[in-house]
mmCIF file of all heavy atoms in Angstrom:
data_model
loop_
_atom_site.group_PDB
_atom_site.id
_atom_site.type_symbol
_atom_site.label_atom_id
_atom_site.label_comp_id
_atom_site.label_asym_id
_atom_site.label_seq_id
_atom_site.Cartn_x
_atom_site.Cartn_y
_atom_site.Cartn_z
ATOM 1 N N TYR A 139 -0.823 -109.909 -134.282
ATOM 2 C CA TYR A 139 -1.236 -111.292 -134.039
ATOM 3 C C TYR A 139 -2.404 -111.292 -133.052
ATOM 4 O O TYR A 139 -2.221 -111.153 -131.839
ATOM 5 C CB TYR A 139 -0.066 -112.118 -133.497
ATOM 6 C CG TYR A 139 1.081 -112.271 -134.475
ATOM 7 C CD1 TYR A 139 2.108 -111.328 -134.521
ATOM 8 C CD2 TYR A 139 1.121 -113.350 -135.364
ATOM 9 C CE1 TYR A 139 3.167 -111.466 -135.419
ATOM 10 C CE2 TYR A 139 2.167 -113.490 -136.257
ATOM 11 C CZ TYR A 139 3.180 -112.548 -136.286
ATOM 12 O OH TYR A 139 4.217 -112.685 -137.165
ATOM 13 N N LYS A 140 -3.603 -111.442 -133.578
ATOM 14 C CA LYS A 140 -4.803 -111.339 -132.749
ATOM 15 C C LYS A 140 -4.849 -112.420 -131.677
ATOM 16 O O LYS A 140 -5.275 -112.169 -130.544
ATOM 17 C CB LYS A 140 -6.050 -111.430 -133.631
ATOM 18 C CG LYS A 140 -6.160 -110.326 -134.676
ATOM 19 C CD LYS A 140 -6.335 -108.961 -133.998
ATOM 20 C CE LYS A 140 -6.543 -107.877 -135.051
ATOM 21 N NZ LYS A 140 -6.714 -106.530 -134.433
ATOM 22 N N ALA A 141 -4.432 -113.639 -132.034
ATOM 23 C CA ALA A 141 -4.490 -114.738 -131.067
ATOM 24 C C ALA A 141 -3.569 -114.470 -129.885
ATOM 25 O O ALA A 141 -3.939 -114.702 -128.727
ATOM 26 C CB ALA A 141 -4.111 -116.054 -131.744
ATOM 27 N N VAL A 142 -2.365 -113.964 -130.180
ATOM 28 C CA VAL A 142 -1.401 -113.662 -129.107
ATOM 29 C C VAL A 142 -1.949 -112.563 -128.209
ATOM 30 O O VAL A 142 -1.862 -112.639 -126.972
ATOM 31 C CB VAL A 142 -0.037 -113.262 -129.700
ATOM 32 C CG1 VAL A 142 0.926 -112.843 -128.584
ATOM 33 C CG2 VAL A 142 0.555 -114.413 -130.492
ATOM 34 N N GLN A 143 -2.506 -111.542 -128.801
ATOM 35 C CA GLN A 143 -3.077 -110.445 -128.029
ATOM 36 C C GLN A 143 -4.258 -110.912 -127.175
ATOM 37 O O GLN A 143 -4.428 -110.472 -126.036
ATOM 38 C CB GLN A 143 -3.521 -109.326 -128.974
ATOM 39 C CG GLN A 143 -2.378 -108.588 -129.633
ATOM 40 C CD GLN A 143 -1.545 -107.809 -128.627
ATOM 41 O OE1 GLN A 143 -2.059 -107.095 -127.782
ATOM 42 N NE2 GLN A 143 -0.239 -107.947 -128.719
ATOM 43 N N PHE A 144 -5.073 -111.811 -127.732
ATOM 44 C CA PHE A 144 -6.216 -112.323 -126.987
ATOM 45 C C PHE A 144 -5.761 -113.094 -125.754
ATOM 46 O O PHE A 144 -6.301 -112.909 -124.653
ATOM 47 C CB PHE A 144 -7.057 -113.232 -127.895
ATOM 48 C CG PHE A 144 -8.230 -113.861 -127.202
ATOM 49 C CD1 PHE A 144 -9.421 -113.171 -127.055
ATOM 50 C CD2 PHE A 144 -8.146 -115.158 -126.705
ATOM 51 C CE1 PHE A 144 -10.506 -113.748 -126.415
ATOM 52 C CE2 PHE A 144 -9.223 -115.747 -126.068
ATOM 53 C CZ PHE A 144 -10.405 -115.038 -125.925
ATOM 54 N N ILE A 145 -4.761 -113.948 -125.933
ATOM 55 C CA ILE A 145 -4.246 -114.735 -124.803
ATOM 56 C C ILE A 145 -3.613 -113.814 -123.769
ATOM 57 O O ILE A 145 -3.833 -113.973 -122.556
ATOM 58 C CB ILE A 145 -3.231 -115.778 -125.305
ATOM 59 C CG1 ILE A 145 -3.930 -116.808 -126.190
ATOM 60 C CG2 ILE A 145 -2.543 -116.471 -124.128
ATOM 61 C CD1 ILE A 145 -2.992 -117.777 -126.870
ATOM 62 N N PHE A 146 -2.835 -112.861 -124.221
ATOM 63 C CA PHE A 146 -2.152 -111.946 -123.302
ATOM 64 C C PHE A 146 -3.155 -111.132 -122.490
ATOM 65 O O PHE A 146 -2.943 -110.864 -121.309
ATOM 66 C CB PHE A 146 -1.238 -111.016 -124.095
ATOM 67 C CG PHE A 146 -0.383 -110.131 -123.236
ATOM 68 C CD1 PHE A 146 0.716 -110.631 -122.560
ATOM 69 C CD2 PHE A 146 -0.687 -108.787 -123.079
ATOM 70 C CE1 PHE A 146 1.495 -109.820 -121.763
ATOM 71 C CE2 PHE A 146 0.086 -107.961 -122.284
ATOM 72 C CZ PHE A 146 1.189 -108.490 -121.625
ATOM 73 N N ALA A 147 -4.268 -110.766 -123.129
ATOM 74 C CA ALA A 147 -5.287 -109.977 -122.437
ATOM 75 C C ALA A 147 -5.996 -110.789 -121.361
ATOM 76 O O ALA A 147 -6.568 -110.214 -120.428
ATOM 77 C CB ALA A 147 -6.309 -109.447 -123.441
ATOM 78 N N ARG A 148 -5.939 -112.126 -121.470
ATOM 79 C CA ARG A 148 -6.595 -112.981 -120.468
ATOM 80 C C ARG A 148 -5.658 -113.360 -119.329
ATOM 81 O O ARG A 148 -6.116 -113.927 -118.333
ATOM 82 C CB ARG A 148 -7.132 -114.260 -121.130
ATOM 83 C CG ARG A 148 -8.185 -114.023 -122.202
ATOM 84 C CD ARG A 148 -9.417 -113.323 -121.621
ATOM 85 N NE ARG A 148 -10.458 -113.081 -122.621
ATOM 86 C CZ ARG A 148 -10.506 -112.047 -123.422
ATOM 87 N NH1 ARG A 148 -9.537 -111.120 -123.369
ATOM 88 N NH2 ARG A 148 -11.502 -111.887 -124.282
ATOM 89 N N LEU A 149 -4.391 -113.083 -119.443
ATOM 90 C CA LEU A 149 -3.447 -113.473 -118.404
ATOM 91 C C LEU A 149 -3.718 -112.820 -117.047
ATOM 92 O O LEU A 149 -3.508 -113.464 -116.018
ATOM 93 C CB LEU A 149 -2.012 -113.174 -118.862
ATOM 94 C CG LEU A 149 -1.446 -114.142 -119.894
ATOM 95 C CD1 LEU A 149 -0.043 -113.728 -120.320
ATOM 96 C CD2 LEU A 149 -1.426 -115.567 -119.349
ATOM 97 N N PRO A 150 -4.168 -111.543 -116.973
ATOM 98 C CA PRO A 150 -4.521 -110.995 -115.651
ATOM 99 C C PRO A 150 -5.559 -111.835 -114.914
ATOM 100 O O PRO A 150 -5.473 -111.996 -113.695
ATOM 101 C CB PRO A 150 -5.056 -109.596 -115.981
ATOM 102 C CG PRO A 150 -4.340 -109.216 -117.229
ATOM 103 C CD PRO A 150 -4.224 -110.495 -118.009
ATOM 104 N N GLN A 151 -6.527 -112.397 -115.647
ATOM 105 C CA GLN A 151 -7.512 -113.268 -115.008
ATOM 106 C C GLN A 151 -6.852 -114.545 -114.497
ATOM 107 O O GLN A 151 -7.212 -115.063 -113.426
ATOM 108 C CB GLN A 151 -8.626 -113.605 -116.002
ATOM 109 C CG GLN A 151 -9.381 -112.388 -116.509
ATOM 110 C CD GLN A 151 -10.445 -112.756 -117.530
ATOM 111 O OE1 GLN A 151 -10.871 -113.896 -117.625
ATOM 112 N NE2 GLN A 151 -10.872 -111.772 -118.312
ATOM 113 N N VAL A 152 -5.885 -115.049 -115.258
ATOM 114 C CA VAL A 152 -5.150 -116.236 -114.817
ATOM 115 C C VAL A 152 -4.389 -115.937 -113.532
ATOM 116 O O VAL A 152 -4.371 -116.757 -112.597
ATOM 117 C CB VAL A 152 -4.174 -116.696 -115.920
ATOM 118 C CG1 VAL A 152 -3.297 -117.848 -115.417
ATOM 119 C CG2 VAL A 152 -4.937 -117.126 -117.165
ATOM 120 N N PHE A 153 -3.776 -114.765 -113.454
ATOM 121 C CA PHE A 153 -3.025 -114.386 -112.253
ATOM 122 C C PHE A 153 -3.957 -114.251 -111.044
ATOM 123 O O PHE A 153 -3.607 -114.656 -109.931
ATOM 124 C CB PHE A 153 -2.273 -113.079 -112.490
ATOM 125 C CG PHE A 153 -1.209 -113.175 -113.545
ATOM 126 C CD1 PHE A 153 -0.813 -112.054 -114.274
ATOM 127 C CD2 PHE A 153 -0.580 -114.376 -113.822
ATOM 128 C CE1 PHE A 153 0.173 -112.143 -115.244
ATOM 129 C CE2 PHE A 153 0.405 -114.480 -114.794
ATOM 130 C CZ PHE A 153 0.778 -113.363 -115.509
ATOM 131 N N ILE A 154 -5.142 -113.693 -111.270
ATOM 132 C CA ILE A 154 -6.104 -113.537 -110.174
ATOM 133 C C ILE A 154 -6.547 -114.903 -109.651
ATOM 134 O O ILE A 154 -6.607 -115.145 -108.444
ATOM 135 C CB ILE A 154 -7.319 -112.707 -110.640
ATOM 136 C CG1 ILE A 154 -6.898 -111.263 -110.912
ATOM 137 C CG2 ILE A 154 -8.434 -112.741 -109.592
ATOM 138 C CD1 ILE A 154 -7.974 -110.416 -111.554
ATOM 139 N N MET A 155 -6.837 -115.831 -110.559
ATOM 140 C CA MET A 155 -7.216 -117.181 -110.141
ATOM 141 C C MET A 155 -6.052 -117.893 -109.456
ATOM 142 O O MET A 155 -6.262 -118.712 -108.548
ATOM 143 C CB MET A 155 -7.685 -117.987 -111.351
ATOM 144 C CG MET A 155 -9.009 -117.519 -111.954
ATOM 145 S SD MET A 155 -10.409 -117.634 -110.791
ATOM 146 C CE MET A 155 -10.574 -115.917 -110.295
ATOM 147 N N SER A 156 -4.839 -117.570 -109.855
ATOM 148 C CA SER A 156 -3.659 -118.163 -109.209
ATOM 149 C C SER A 156 -3.533 -117.682 -107.770
ATOM 150 O O SER A 156 -3.132 -118.449 -106.885
ATOM 151 C CB SER A 156 -2.391 -117.803 -109.991
ATOM 152 O OG SER A 156 -2.447 -118.300 -111.315
ATOM 153 N N ILE A 157 -3.873 -116.416 -107.530
ATOM 154 C CA ILE A 157 -3.857 -115.890 -106.156
ATOM 155 C C ILE A 157 -4.875 -116.632 -105.300
ATOM 156 O O ILE A 157 -4.595 -117.005 -104.157
ATOM 157 C CB ILE A 157 -4.145 -114.378 -106.170
ATOM 158 C CG1 ILE A 157 -3.023 -113.627 -106.890
ATOM 159 C CG2 ILE A 157 -4.297 -113.844 -104.742
ATOM 160 C CD1 ILE A 157 -3.327 -112.164 -107.155
ATOM 161 N N ALA A 158 -6.067 -116.877 -105.868
ATOM 162 C CA ALA A 158 -7.074 -117.648 -105.137
ATOM 163 C C ALA A 158 -6.596 -119.073 -104.889
ATOM 164 O O ALA A 158 -6.860 -119.656 -103.826
ATOM 165 C CB ALA A 158 -8.395 -117.651 -105.913
ATOM 166 N N ALA A 159 -5.882 -119.642 -105.862
ATOM 167 C CA ALA A 159 -5.374 -121.011 -105.713
ATOM 168 C C ALA A 159 -4.346 -121.108 -104.593
ATOM 169 O O ALA A 159 -4.211 -122.166 -103.966
ATOM 170 C CB ALA A 159 -4.767 -121.483 -107.029
ATOM 171 N N ILE A 160 -3.618 -120.024 -104.331
ATOM 172 C CA ILE A 160 -2.657 -120.025 -103.220
ATOM 173 C C ILE A 160 -3.388 -120.227 -101.898
ATOM 174 O O ILE A 160 -2.948 -121.000 -101.040
ATOM 175 C CB ILE A 160 -1.850 -118.713 -103.204
ATOM 176 C CG1 ILE A 160 -0.930 -118.647 -104.427
ATOM 177 C CG2 ILE A 160 -1.030 -118.591 -101.922
ATOM 178 C CD1 ILE A 160 -0.217 -117.321 -104.579
ATOM 179 N N GLY A 161 -4.507 -119.537 -101.727
ATOM 180 C CA GLY A 161 -5.310 -119.720 -100.518
ATOM 181 C C GLY A 161 -5.838 -121.137 -100.397
ATOM 182 O O GLY A 161 -5.839 -121.726 -99.302
ATOM 183 N N LEU A 162 -6.272 -121.717 -101.521
ATOM 184 C CA LEU A 162 -6.747 -123.098 -101.507
ATOM 185 C C LEU A 162 -5.615 -124.056 -101.165
ATOM 186 O O LEU A 162 -5.816 -125.033 -100.437
ATOM 187 C CB LEU A 162 -7.349 -123.452 -102.866
ATOM 188 C CG LEU A 162 -7.893 -124.868 -103.021
ATOM 189 C CD1 LEU A 162 -9.036 -125.109 -102.040
ATOM 190 C CD2 LEU A 162 -8.353 -125.107 -104.449
ATOM 191 N N ASN A 163 -4.419 -123.767 -101.669
ATOM 192 C CA ASN A 163 -3.268 -124.624 -101.390
ATOM 193 C C ASN A 163 -2.898 -124.609 -99.911
ATOM 194 O O ASN A 163 -2.495 -125.640 -99.352
ATOM 195 C CB ASN A 163 -2.069 -124.167 -102.228
ATOM 196 C CG ASN A 163 -0.871 -125.085 -102.052
ATOM 197 O OD1 ASN A 163 -0.990 -126.307 -102.126
ATOM 198 N ND2 ASN A 163 0.287 -124.500 -101.802
ATOM 199 N N ILE A 164 -3.049 -123.449 -99.268
ATOM 200 C CA ILE A 164 -2.754 -123.367 -97.835
ATOM 201 C C ILE A 164 -3.704 -124.256 -97.043
ATOM 202 O O ILE A 164 -3.278 -125.055 -96.192
ATOM 203 C CB ILE A 164 -2.841 -121.912 -97.345
ATOM 204 C CG1 ILE A 164 -1.666 -121.098 -97.907
ATOM 205 C CG2 ILE A 164 -2.832 -121.855 -95.822
ATOM 206 C CD1 ILE A 164 -1.724 -119.624 -97.556
ATOM 207 N N ILE A 165 -5.002 -124.156 -97.331
ATOM 208 C CA ILE A 165 -5.993 -124.897 -96.553
ATOM 209 C C ILE A 165 -5.988 -126.384 -96.900
ATOM 210 O O ILE A 165 -5.947 -127.252 -96.021
ATOM 211 C CB ILE A 165 -7.399 -124.313 -96.780
ATOM 212 C CG1 ILE A 165 -7.461 -122.873 -96.279
ATOM 213 C CG2 ILE A 165 -8.456 -125.152 -96.090
ATOM 214 C CD1 ILE A 165 -8.776 -122.196 -96.514
ATOM 215 N N LEU A 166 -6.017 -126.684 -98.190
ATOM 216 C CA LEU A 166 -6.127 -128.075 -98.618
ATOM 217 C C LEU A 166 -4.765 -128.762 -98.683
ATOM 218 O O LEU A 166 -4.643 -129.935 -98.320
ATOM 219 C CB LEU A 166 -6.811 -128.142 -99.987
ATOM 220 C CG LEU A 166 -7.203 -129.530 -100.504
ATOM 221 C CD1 LEU A 166 -8.149 -130.211 -99.521
ATOM 222 C CD2 LEU A 166 -7.854 -129.420 -101.876
ATOM 223 N N GLY A 167 -3.744 -128.032 -99.128
ATOM 224 C CA GLY A 167 -2.432 -128.637 -99.296
ATOM 225 C C GLY A 167 -1.614 -128.709 -98.022
ATOM 226 O O GLY A 167 -1.162 -129.784 -97.613
ATOM 227 N N TYR A 168 -1.440 -127.556 -97.364
ATOM 228 C CA TYR A 168 -0.603 -127.511 -96.162
ATOM 229 C C TYR A 168 -1.338 -128.017 -94.928
ATOM 230 O O TYR A 168 -0.794 -128.805 -94.149
ATOM 231 C CB TYR A 168 -0.095 -126.087 -95.925
ATOM 232 C CG TYR A 168 0.994 -125.681 -96.864
ATOM 233 C CD1 TYR A 168 0.719 -124.903 -97.986
ATOM 234 C CD2 TYR A 168 2.320 -126.062 -96.646
ATOM 235 C CE1 TYR A 168 1.718 -124.523 -98.874
ATOM 236 C CE2 TYR A 168 3.326 -125.692 -97.529
ATOM 237 C CZ TYR A 168 3.014 -124.923 -98.634
ATOM 238 O OH TYR A 168 4.015 -124.556 -99.513
ATOM 239 N N ALA A 169 -2.580 -127.557 -94.734
ATOM 240 C CA ALA A 169 -3.325 -127.949 -93.527
ATOM 241 C C ALA A 169 -4.107 -129.245 -93.711
ATOM 242 O O ALA A 169 -4.501 -129.868 -92.728
ATOM 243 C CB ALA A 169 -4.273 -126.828 -93.114
ATOM 244 N N GLY A 170 -4.323 -129.653 -94.960
ATOM 245 C CA GLY A 170 -5.019 -130.904 -95.217
ATOM 246 C C GLY A 170 -6.490 -130.884 -94.885
ATOM 247 O O GLY A 170 -7.093 -131.925 -94.610
ATOM 248 N N MET A 171 -7.113 -129.703 -94.927
ATOM 249 C CA MET A 171 -8.537 -129.591 -94.609
ATOM 250 C C MET A 171 -9.350 -129.526 -95.898
ATOM 251 O O MET A 171 -8.995 -128.801 -96.821
ATOM 252 C CB MET A 171 -8.804 -128.330 -93.775
ATOM 253 C CG MET A 171 -8.136 -128.327 -92.428
ATOM 254 S SD MET A 171 -8.512 -126.804 -91.509
ATOM 255 C CE MET A 171 -7.657 -127.139 -89.962
ATOM 256 N N PHE A 172 -10.459 -130.266 -95.938
ATOM 257 C CA PHE A 172 -11.324 -130.274 -97.109
ATOM 258 C C PHE A 172 -12.263 -129.078 -97.045
ATOM 259 O O PHE A 172 -13.389 -129.169 -96.549
ATOM 260 C CB PHE A 172 -12.104 -131.584 -97.183
ATOM 261 C CG PHE A 172 -11.245 -132.770 -97.473
ATOM 262 C CD1 PHE A 172 -10.835 -133.600 -96.447
ATOM 263 C CD2 PHE A 172 -10.825 -133.039 -98.762
ATOM 264 C CE1 PHE A 172 -10.034 -134.701 -96.706
ATOM 265 C CE2 PHE A 172 -10.025 -134.125 -99.041
ATOM 266 C CZ PHE A 172 -9.620 -134.959 -98.001
ATOM 267 N N HIS A 173 -11.756 -127.971 -97.556
ATOM 268 C CA HIS A 173 -12.488 -126.706 -97.499
ATOM 269 C C HIS A 173 -12.864 -126.303 -98.929
ATOM 270 O O HIS A 173 -11.990 -126.103 -99.764
ATOM 271 C CB HIS A 173 -11.597 -125.637 -96.863
ATOM 272 C CG HIS A 173 -12.314 -124.366 -96.507
ATOM 273 N ND1 HIS A 173 -12.918 -123.567 -97.448
ATOM 274 C CD2 HIS A 173 -12.523 -123.753 -95.314
ATOM 275 C CE1 HIS A 173 -13.450 -122.515 -96.853
ATOM 276 N NE2 HIS A 173 -13.236 -122.615 -95.571
ATOM 277 N N PHE A 174 -14.166 -126.190 -99.193
ATOM 278 C CA PHE A 174 -14.643 -125.870 -100.534
ATOM 279 C C PHE A 174 -15.292 -124.490 -100.601
ATOM 280 O O PHE A 174 -16.126 -124.239 -101.471
ATOM 281 C CB PHE A 174 -15.627 -126.936 -101.008
ATOM 282 C CG PHE A 174 -15.031 -128.307 -101.118
ATOM 283 C CD1 PHE A 174 -15.633 -129.393 -100.520
ATOM 284 C CD2 PHE A 174 -13.857 -128.496 -101.819
ATOM 285 C CE1 PHE A 174 -15.077 -130.660 -100.619
ATOM 286 C CE2 PHE A 174 -13.289 -129.755 -101.933
ATOM 287 C CZ PHE A 174 -13.894 -130.843 -101.320
ATOM 288 N N GLY A 175 -14.907 -123.601 -99.687
ATOM 289 C CA GLY A 175 -15.521 -122.277 -99.659
ATOM 290 C C GLY A 175 -14.628 -121.156 -100.131
ATOM 291 O O GLY A 175 -14.964 -119.980 -99.938
ATOM 292 N N ILE A 176 -13.498 -121.503 -100.764
ATOM 293 C CA ILE A 176 -12.561 -120.460 -101.209
ATOM 294 C C ILE A 176 -13.216 -119.517 -102.208
ATOM 295 O O ILE A 176 -13.042 -118.291 -102.154
ATOM 296 C CB ILE A 176 -11.304 -121.095 -101.825
ATOM 297 C CG1 ILE A 176 -10.502 -121.828 -100.747
ATOM 298 C CG2 ILE A 176 -10.433 -120.031 -102.481
ATOM 299 C CD1 ILE A 176 -9.959 -120.928 -99.672
ATOM 300 N N GLY A 177 -13.985 -120.082 -103.133
ATOM 301 C CA GLY A 177 -14.658 -119.239 -104.125
ATOM 302 C C GLY A 177 -15.597 -118.235 -103.482
ATOM 303 O O GLY A 177 -15.735 -117.103 -103.969
ATOM 304 N N ALA A 178 -16.238 -118.637 -102.384
ATOM 305 C CA ALA A 178 -17.145 -117.729 -101.681
ATOM 306 C C ALA A 178 -16.381 -116.542 -101.108
ATOM 307 O O ALA A 178 -16.840 -115.394 -101.189
ATOM 308 C CB ALA A 178 -17.874 -118.476 -100.562
ATOM 309 N N PHE A 179 -15.206 -116.798 -100.534
ATOM 310 C CA PHE A 179 -14.416 -115.710 -99.962
ATOM 311 C C PHE A 179 -13.864 -114.787 -101.051
ATOM 312 O O PHE A 179 -13.781 -113.570 -100.853
ATOM 313 C CB PHE A 179 -13.290 -116.278 -99.112
ATOM 314 C CG PHE A 179 -13.761 -116.919 -97.845
ATOM 315 C CD1 PHE A 179 -13.724 -118.293 -97.680
ATOM 316 C CD2 PHE A 179 -14.263 -116.151 -96.804
ATOM 317 C CE1 PHE A 179 -14.172 -118.891 -96.521
ATOM 318 C CE2 PHE A 179 -14.711 -116.735 -95.641
ATOM 319 C CZ PHE A 179 -14.670 -118.112 -95.497
ATOM 320 N N VAL A 180 -13.502 -115.355 -102.179
ATOM 321 C CA VAL A 180 -13.056 -114.524 -103.307
ATOM 322 C C VAL A 180 -14.189 -113.605 -103.753
ATOM 323 O O VAL A 180 -13.984 -112.407 -103.992
ATOM 324 C CB VAL A 180 -12.581 -115.401 -104.475
ATOM 325 C CG1 VAL A 180 -12.287 -114.546 -105.707
ATOM 326 C CG2 VAL A 180 -11.339 -116.190 -104.082
ATOM 327 N N SER A 181 -15.393 -114.150 -103.847
ATOM 328 C CA SER A 181 -16.532 -113.336 -104.287
ATOM 329 C C SER A 181 -16.902 -112.289 -103.240
ATOM 330 O O SER A 181 -17.303 -111.169 -103.606
ATOM 331 C CB SER A 181 -17.739 -114.237 -104.576
ATOM 332 O OG SER A 181 -18.144 -114.932 -103.411
ATOM 333 N N ILE A 182 -16.762 -112.612 -101.952
ATOM 334 C CA ILE A 182 -17.060 -111.627 -100.905
ATOM 335 C C ILE A 182 -16.102 -110.443 -101.017
ATOM 336 O O ILE A 182 -16.515 -109.280 -100.956
ATOM 337 C CB ILE A 182 -16.952 -112.278 -99.514
ATOM 338 C CG1 ILE A 182 -18.138 -113.232 -99.290
ATOM 339 C CG2 ILE A 182 -16.942 -111.212 -98.412
ATOM 340 C CD1 ILE A 182 -18.006 -114.075 -98.054
ATOM 341 N N GLY A 183 -14.825 -110.722 -101.208
ATOM 342 C CA GLY A 183 -13.854 -109.642 -101.388
ATOM 343 C C GLY A 183 -14.116 -108.836 -102.641
ATOM 344 O O GLY A 183 -14.059 -107.593 -102.627
ATOM 345 N N ALA A 184 -14.449 -109.526 -103.731
ATOM 346 C CA ALA A 184 -14.700 -108.836 -104.998
ATOM 347 C C ALA A 184 -15.940 -107.958 -104.918
ATOM 348 O O ALA A 184 -15.933 -106.797 -105.375
ATOM 349 C CB ALA A 184 -14.849 -109.864 -106.119
ATOM 350 N N TYR A 185 -17.011 -108.463 -104.334
ATOM 351 C CA TYR A 185 -18.245 -107.680 -104.239
ATOM 352 C C TYR A 185 -18.123 -106.562 -103.206
ATOM 353 O O TYR A 185 -18.789 -105.531 -103.333
ATOM 354 C CB TYR A 185 -19.428 -108.580 -103.920
ATOM 355 C CG TYR A 185 -20.089 -109.137 -105.157
ATOM 356 C CD1 TYR A 185 -19.712 -110.376 -105.666
ATOM 357 C CD2 TYR A 185 -21.053 -108.404 -105.832
ATOM 358 C CE1 TYR A 185 -20.305 -110.881 -106.812
ATOM 359 C CE2 TYR A 185 -21.647 -108.893 -106.978
ATOM 360 C CZ TYR A 185 -21.267 -110.141 -107.471
ATOM 361 O OH TYR A 185 -21.848 -110.622 -108.607
#
């Protein structure tokens, strides 16, 4: 099933974005700060 395999192969990317979303949830959700630089920190770590 090509479609199932395609979706399954993309799930690691979903998990990685979910990890980044946890950091956003801490700043925006728990602390209530309007911080839009999470993507920058993810890219700094990745690079």
Side-chain angles (χ1 to χ4, degrees):
Y139 295 89
K140 299 295 184 180
V142 176
Q143 290 294 313
F144 177 83
I145 294 173
F146 186 75
R148 298 299 180 275
L149 285 178
Q151 299 178 19
V152 174
F153 295 153
I154 292 172
M155 291 299 102
S156 299
I157 295 170
I160 292 173
L162 180 62
N163 184 48
I164 290 176
I165 297 177
L166 189 58
Y168 285 99
M171 297 180 177
F172 292 99
H173 191 298
F174 298 129
I176 293 296
F179 290 109
V180 173
S181 61
I182 288 171
Y185 271 93

